[in-house]
Amino acid sequence: MPYRYQKQAHREPGGEVEIFEAYLRERGLKLTSARRQLLDLIFENHAHFTADDLFDQCRAQQIRVSKATLYRTLSILLDCKLLAEHDFGQGAKYYEHIYGHRNHYHFFCNVSKKIVEFRSEKIERLLDEVAEELGFLSLGHTLTIFGVSAECRDTPKGRALIADHEAREDDARG
Amino acid sequence: MPYRYQKQAHREPGGEVEIFEAYLRERGLKLTSARRQLLDLIFENHAHFTADDLFDQCRAQQIRVSKATLYRTLSILLDCKLLAEHDFGQGAKYYEHIYGHRNHYHFFCNVSKKIVEFRSEKIERLLDEVAEELGFLSLGHTLTIFGVSAECRDTPKGRALIADHEAREDDARG
DNA sequence: GTCCATGCAAATGCTTTGCACGTAT
DNA sequence: ATACGTGCAAAGCATTTGCATGGAC
């Protein structure tokens, strides 16, 4: 097995692990082996994942955790705002790191399920303005563009989605 | 019972009913009494509703439909783009009219569950630009601001949400 | 030693489906 | 007459929960 350098920034001071431990301590919760292992798995790389993805990764790395514990741990990570969850219309929820990440939005490819993040300060500013105008206190927002990525345009599924979309536009025009 | 004027625009030429009937005809599906009644109920007023909301309205108006049929009808209405569905993190999906409605976004009050729509041509344009830059074909997008509405700021639940949010911001600052 | 965490299996909540019967075309 | 649609009950799926046991503090 070749040596693989890993930064493990999540274990450094100010990293996710420290935040998590502080959060647990504050409320008398315990840092168990299951929680430590899940935390490492989750924060070793930055990605979007479903509960099942994570469960599969656990099995792959011989980490024994039940789904119950897995969900319970995800729930804590949401509570302490280390993770956020999103619904991309696939049944299961997607989780992603947000600590230390600036606000961002997603493009979701309905063919490959690939997720691409993008940022836009202009949109951020516009959303703040809108909330202000409406008198809302914004606790967060979620913005997703659904569609077909460049790589998937020429797949059968991609072509089908595009054809269907164009047919609907014709309908709308009359 | 006082007389109530109802425009019933959905029954006029070019309205939702016509679109729906054409869609059914095109694929050899049938216009049944259940479907007609559901259609009227749905398009008589513009709102956001869950499958359960709709089911309750049916019972209130003595319309006898099973949930199976209700879901099957919603599914057709999604297919022909008369409705769109959204996930506001409440478990059940929300449905809304989109035919003849311009693109719009939502504010969702986490206290009262009230939904407010807003539009922004600027955001629309920015999203088109982003999709273009990334080489994506956009099939649609969904943008929701979650938070606390003006009316709910002074409720116990509103205050709790706000306090919690501010506590987290303090945490993040260190 | 005291709580909290865990795994398991059962429960939940929303939505979908199989099947025998009913109905629009 | 021929599909397609319906209600019912059962199944599905992601997620949550009750409970007896195990582990962190």
Side-chain angles (χ1 to χ4, degrees), chain A residues 107-140:
Chain A
F107 176 87
F108 185 84
C109 176
N110 282 118
V111 179
S112 62
K113 317 299 178 203
K114 193 175 86 166
I115 296 159
V116 178
E117 300 183 357
F118 63 93
R119 292 195 14 80
S120 166
E121 312 233 349
K122 286 182 193 166
I123 291 179
E124 246 170 280
R125 236 175 292 126
L126 285 167
L127 290 178
D128 286 345
E129 280 174 34
V130 168
E132 174 94 47
E133 275 168 35
L134 296 173
F136 290 138
L137 181 84
S138 164
L139 301 176

Side-chain angles (χ1 to χ4, degrees), chain A residues 20-31 35 76:
Chain A
F20 185 63
E21 292 179 359
Y23 185 83
L24 294 179
R25 229 177 295 117
E26 274 171 25
R27 25 210 103 198
L29 307 178
K30 286 164 185 172
L31 181 57
R35 285 176 182 168
I76 296 174

Side-chain angles (χ1 to χ4, degrees), chain A residues 1-12 44-45:
Chain A
M1 205 202 286
Y3 173 73
R4 222 104 86 71
Y5 173 70
Q6 293 216 343
K7 256 180 62 187
Q8 304 191 318
H10 64 290
R11 290 203 199 137
E12 287 166 14
E44 250 159 27
N45 45 0

Side-chain angles (χ1 to χ4, degrees), chain A residues 141-152:
Chain A
H141 46 257
T142 169
L143 164 47
T144 306
I145 303 179
F146 294 91
V148 182
S149 65
E151 308 90 73
C152 294

Side-chain angles (χ1 to χ4, degrees), chain B residues 84-102:
Chain B
E85 65 183 358
H86 293 281
D87 186 292
F88 294 131
Q90 302 302 114
K93 276 165 193 147
Y94 282 76
Y95 300 84
E96 66 164 348
H97 306 191
I98 51 170
Y99 177 71
H101 293 263
R102 310 210 43 189

Side-chain angles (χ1 to χ4, degrees), chain A residues 30 32 34-35 64 66 69 72:
Chain A
K30 286 164 185 172
T32 62
R35 285 176 182 168
R64 298 187 88 278
S66 66
T69 294
R72 285 189 273 234

